[in-house]
Amino acid sequence: MNETITVSQLNRYVKARLDEDKILKDLFLSGEISNLTDHYRSGHVYFALKDENATIKAVLFRSYAQQLRFPLQNGMRAVVRGSVSLYERDGSYQLYAREVFPEGKGLQWLQFERLKEKLEKEGLFDSALKRPLPPFPKRIGIVTSPTGAALQDMLRILNSRWPLCTVILSPATVQGLEAPLSLLQALDRLKDRQCDIVLIGRGGGSAEDLWAFNDEALARAVRAFPSPVISGVGHETDFTICDFAADLRAPTPTAAASASVPDLRDVLDAMRRSQQAMRSQLERRIGDLERRASRVQRQLQALSPLERLGRTERQLSVLRQTLSRSVWRQLYQKGERISALSNVIESLSPMNTLHRGYSVLLHEGQAVRSVGEAVQGDRLRAVLSDGELLLTVDESRRKE
């Protein structure tokens, strides 16, 4: 016996089965828009998509509705991209739309998406393959129409920002059936021109006008080009296969030119700042080296034999002066002492005594100090200050 389930359970089961279907997750449906209803409060758009035999309800939620580039109208033939699932409350399946295109553009967009997915799976758009742009390019190649405004805009930017570079124009047709081949040939002509960077692009236009830049062969040629390629096609909201294949995608041709070169004024300012920083650094370095050299010189001078000899000579000179002063001081002191002793000696000199009227008696060369040392008849010699007297002792008398 089968288990009884609720309607909610059934709808939930059916929704889960629909959501598991890979085909229903991302598909393109073509048909006519009808029963169009805008809910201004929520921002969601509800409509039906029908053909001659069937109809399916559809909803375009606000986040997707805000990206529409044209107004939806009843009776419009369109291609809707989205997923199919079940709306559980009503038990009806419906299309949850993500993108809406007028029918012709929808087929074109489908081709675009399929090619993009194919090349992406091959790794052609891998960010690891993107080459860095040279900081100061000398030769810049440009692939664009020689008569378009885009060329003049790019030349104006390149001339104002980086007049040091040489620009090589490889003209091409950028619109129409012959445009993909013309772009390929123009890119090929630049292979041997040793370009540092190549700019490829054109100004804005409709999706059909830009379609040449969605060519598979062109995308592969851009990826295989020997130098970095910047793609600048259309306006900021336009994306092409060429943009994904290039090393850098710029939103406009003007932006591509700006991205390819530095601004000479900024480079000169940076050089001046670097020069100033280098000068300051060199001055600090030179100052440090000078101070270090001065210290080393002082150390060498301190260790130099000549310096040591000089110090020794100065020390000897000081010692010599000290010794000389000491000797002269001692000589002076000795001289003073000698003078004082001379005065004492002179004051005690016998000659001074003789000059005062005294005399010295000598008997046989010996001084006579006592009466008992001479007897009657002895010959004595009396020494006076001015001469001598010869005496004979007649009589001796002692003091009582």
Side-chain angles (χ1 to χ4, degrees):
M1 182 177 179
N2 292 333
E3 181 183 355
T4 301
I5 63 174
T6 65
V7 175
S8 296
Q9 289 173 326
L10 174 62
N11 286 352
R12 191 175 303 116
Y13 174 78
V14 174
K15 181 180 186 303
R17 296 301 297 271
L18 291 175
D19 291 344
E20 291 173 359
D21 192 302
K22 293 182 179 180
I23 296 177
L24 299 181
K25 284 185 177 180
D26 188 13
L27 75 165
F28 291 80
L29 289 179
S30 64
E32 180 183 322
I33 294 177
S34 64
N35 299 327
L36 181 64
T37 303
D38 288 339
H39 282 196
Y40 293 103
R41 288 186 178 180
S42 65
H44 307 324
V45 177
Y46 298 90
F47 60 95
L49 194 66
K50 66 179 183 178
D51 57 19
E52 293 79 4
N53 303 312
T55 301
I56 183 173
K57 292 181 179 180
V59 60
L60 186 68
F61 291 126
R62 180 176 61 183
S63 59
Y64 296 118
Q66 291 174 343
Q67 299 178 22
L68 284 174
R69 300 182 186 179
F70 59 92
L72 298 182
Q73 297 176 355
N74 286 318
M76 174 186 289
R77 298 289 300 179
V79 173
V80 181
R81 184 183 187 184
S83 60
V84 175
S85 186
L86 185 77
Y87 184 47
E88 292 185 44
R89 191 194 70 178
D90 295 345
S92 61
Y93 86 101
Q94 63 182 5
L95 176 64
Y96 292 87
R98 294 193 298 272
E99 294 176 290
V100 181
F101 312 96
E103 190 169 47
K105 293 183 179 179
L107 295 176
Q108 227 177 29
W109 183 256
L110 178 59
Q111 295 172 4
F112 174 88
E113 286 295 321
R114 286 177 177 173
L115 178 58
K116 179 174 175 289
E117 183 179 1
K118 172 188 174 182
L119 297 180
E120 197 166 21
K121 287 182 178 179
E122 290 183 16
L124 198 74
F125 306 151
D126 193 340
S127 59
L129 300 177
K130 306 296 184 184
R131 294 163 292 191
L133 305 181
F136 308 109
K138 297 179 181 178
R139 296 167 68 87
I140 298 178
I142 297 181
V143 175
T144 192
S145 170
T147 59
L151 174 62
Q152 300 306 317
D153 290 340
M154 288 189 282
L155 292 177
R156 175 177 53 81
I157 292 297
L158 292 175
N159 184 61
S160 64
R161 288 176 60 86
W162 195 243
L164 305 178
C165 68
T166 300
V167 178
I168 303 172
L169 173 64
S170 187
T173 302
V174 295
Q175 182 176 333
L177 295 177
E178 70 279 7
L181 179 59
S182 179
L183 289 168
L184 275 171
Q185 293 172 343
L187 192 62
D188 188 65
R189 287 194 297 269
L190 291 176
K191 282 186 178 179
D192 298 328
R193 301 301 298 272
Q194 298 179 343
C195 296
D196 298 310
I197 299 178
V198 169
L199 310 181
I200 183 171
R202 56 154 291 162
S206 65
E208 288 80 5
D209 294 338
L210 307 180
W211 197 252
F213 293 89
N214 291 322
D215 184 74
E216 179 177 352
L218 178 62
R220 295 186 184 279
V222 166
R223 183 67 273 157
F225 197 79
S227 302
V229 177
I230 301 178
S231 175
V233 180
H235 298 299
E236 187 170 355
T237 56
D238 297 317
F239 284 87
T240 66
I241 298 296
C242 184
D243 292 332
F244 296 112
D247 296 284
L248 177 68
R249 183 255 173 184
T252 63
T254 302
S258 297
S260 66
V261 294
D263 192 321
L264 181 59
R265 290 165 294 188
D266 294 340
V267 172
L268 292 177
D269 288 341
M271 290 177 63
R272 281 191 287 268
R273 290 194 297 272
S274 298
Q275 185 180 24
Q276 182 63 35
M278 290 175 63
R279 182 182 293 110
S280 299
Q281 186 176 4
L282 285 174
E283 289 175 353
R284 288 194 298 271
R285 182 62 175 163
I286 290 173
D288 292 341
L289 291 175
E290 286 179 344
R291 287 188 289 274
R292 182 179 177 184
S294 179
R295 288 196 300 270
V296 172
Q297 185 176 11
R298 289 195 297 271
Q299 292 173 354
L300 289 175
Q301 287 177 348
L303 298 174
S304 170
L306 294 177
E307 180 66 21
R308 296 180 67 180
L309 286 174
R311 287 199 303 272
T312 303
E313 287 180 353
R314 289 191 292 273
Q315 292 173 355
L316 288 174
S317 176
V318 171
L319 292 174
R320 187 182 298 111
Q321 294 175 2
T322 303
L323 180 60
S324 177
R325 287 194 295 271
S326 177
V327 169
W328 281 109
R329 185 168 54 252
Q330 291 185 21
L331 289 176
Y332 176 77
Q333 292 173 353
K334 298 293 183 182
E336 290 293 321
R337 185 182 177 104
I338 291 172
S339 176
L341 292 174
S342 296
N343 291 333
V344 172
I345 293 172
E346 185 177 358
S347 65
L348 298 177
S349 172
M351 294 302 295
N352 289 337
T353 302
L354 294 178
H355 281 302
R356 291 198 300 273
Y358 292 94
S359 64
V360 178
L361 291 177
L362 298 176
H363 178 248
E364 296 180 354
Q366 300 295 323
V368 179
R369 295 180 177 82
S370 172
V371 172
E373 293 181 355
V375 295
Q376 186 177 4
D378 287 342
R379 297 274 303 175
L380 302 178
R381 187 161 51 93
V383 179
L384 288 84
S385 62
D386 57 351
E388 294 181 355
L389 293 177
L390 297 177
L391 304 175
T392 301
V393 177
D394 293 331
E395 180 183 359
S396 61
R397 298 177 185 172
R398 288 183 178 274
K399 283 185 180 182
E400 295 183 1

